[in-house]
Amino acid sequence: MNSKVLNLSGKECYLYIRPETKYMLIQPVDDHDLGLLDREVDLIQTLSDIPFSLAAFKIHDWNSELTPWPAPPVFGKEPFGDKAGETLTFVTERFLPMLKEMDIDVSHCMLGGYSLAGLFALWASYQAGSFEGVVAASPSVWYPQWIDFASVNKPQASSVYLSLGDKEEKTRNPVMAQVGNAIRRQEELLREHGVNAILEWNVGNHFVDSEKRMAKGFAWLLNNKIE
């Protein structure tokens, strides 16, 4: 698998390319994710025999670039923004076209992310038909008004992998404590719309094994791929 780093519209893009595959995994990442990306790619290859490429791009303002509408802080003092639409436009109108120009097959795209990036991946599946599958690993489905949104909108992805740590809902923060109920409801809503959905529970809190949780999700999509 060939790897390279590019800059596109001010965003650092990290490419792990296998030319002979038609399955492209897309992932927004931060510095923590970047440090684990090599390990994640290796784990996906261990968990699936399906050849794939992975293309990641760096998010600089995590609380703004991944969220679809503003919300007050739930920890710390930094509020959430509404630039998820701009990030999705970057993916569909800049990132994927760049890959095509490099003669990389993006005919079967899967979008995934961890934490707020997982929420972004879910939201993007309601906005665009570009992604056959979505990985939302420990997604921030506690986000204010998210379940209200998911209750009245229809996702366009055909397969969605959800996961959560079994300790994540055991928090004193009253907003984030809703994550367990919210992700259970999210799975129900996906199934009601005929989406091939799974919810997997992992051991631990939100801050452990993020690369393993992402790898399991992408491997599940690959192993349940749609021709």
Side-chain angles (χ1 to χ4, degrees), residues 88 91-92 96 106-111 121-134 154-158:
L88 180 57
V91 173
T92 58
L96 294 182
V106 294
S107 56
H108 296 271
C109 279
M110 303 171 186
L111 177 66
L122 275 176
W123 174 82
S125 75
Y126 289 86
Q127 304 298 314
S130 305
F131 314 107
E132 295 180 3
V134 163
K154 183 177 180 178
Q156 299 182 53
S158 55

Side-chain angles (χ1 to χ4, degrees), residues 22-23 50 108 132 222 224-227:
K22 58 185 177 181
Y23 296 102
I50 308 301
H108 296 271
E132 295 180 3
L222 290 167
N224 291 272
K225 64 188 184 301
I226 297 174
E227 300 292 349

Side-chain angles (χ1 to χ4, degrees), residues 12-225:
E12 298 93 337
C13 304
Y14 302 82
L15 310 182
Y16 297 77
I17 303 302
R18 181 171 288 172
E20 70 273 17
T21 182
K22 58 185 177 181
Y23 296 102
M24 172 58 69
L25 314 180
I26 306 290
Q27 183 178 349
V29 295
D30 63 5
D31 286 328
H32 175 76
D33 298 322
L34 283 176
L36 299 169
L37 208 52
D38 289 350
R39 172 66 173 157
E40 179 183 323
V41 170
D42 289 343
L43 286 169
I44 298 171
Q45 292 179 119
T46 299
L47 296 169
S48 178
D49 294 329
I50 308 301
F52 66 92
S53 294
L54 186 146
F57 61 94
K58 188 176 179 180
I59 298 296
H60 295 281
D61 188 343
W62 196 255
N63 277 21
S64 180
E65 294 178 52
L66 297 171
T67 45
W69 50 79
V74 296
F75 49 86
K77 298 181 179 180
E78 184 179 356
F80 299 95
D82 60 353
K83 291 185 168 54
E86 294 179 17
T87 302
L88 180 57
T89 297
F90 167 80
V91 173
T92 58
E93 297 185 10
R94 296 287 292 154
F95 198 38
L96 294 182
M98 177 194 73
L99 296 175
K100 290 180 181 179
E101 291 173 2
M102 298 171 64
D103 293 325
I104 298 170
D105 193 340
V106 294
S107 56
H108 296 271
C109 279
M110 303 171 186
L111 177 66
Y114 195 85
S115 192
L116 274 178
L119 180 76
F120 168 77
L122 275 176
W123 174 82
S125 75
Y126 289 86
Q127 304 298 314
S130 305
F131 314 107
E132 295 180 3
V134 163
V135 172
S138 293
S140 305
V141 288
W142 49 259
Y143 197 75
Q145 301 176 348
W146 170 255
I147 291 301
D148 293 338
F149 169 86
S151 297
V152 296
N153 289 278
K154 183 177 180 178
Q156 299 182 53
S158 55
S159 296
V160 175
Y161 175 95
L162 304 170
S163 71
L164 200 69
D166 58 9
K167 294 183 179 180
E168 292 195 53
E169 61 186 330
K170 299 174 183 178
T171 174
R172 295 180 181 179
N173 186 300
V175 176
M176 299 181 72
Q178 296 302 311
V179 68
N181 291 334
I183 205 164
R184 294 180 184 94
R185 181 57 180 151
Q186 178 71 70
E187 182 193 23
E188 291 174 354
L189 291 168
L190 292 170
R191 291 183 179 277
E192 288 173 8
H193 284 295
V195 176
N196 178 27
I198 185 174
L199 170 57
E200 183 172 2
W201 291 88
N202 297 296
V203 176
N205 60 30
H206 185 71
F207 302 101
V208 297
D209 298 332
S210 60
E211 81 282 11
K212 293 180 181 179
R213 297 182 187 185
M214 285 300 305
K216 286 196 293 184
F218 276 136
W220 184 85
L221 288 182
L222 290 167
N223 294 334
N224 291 272
K225 64 188 184 301

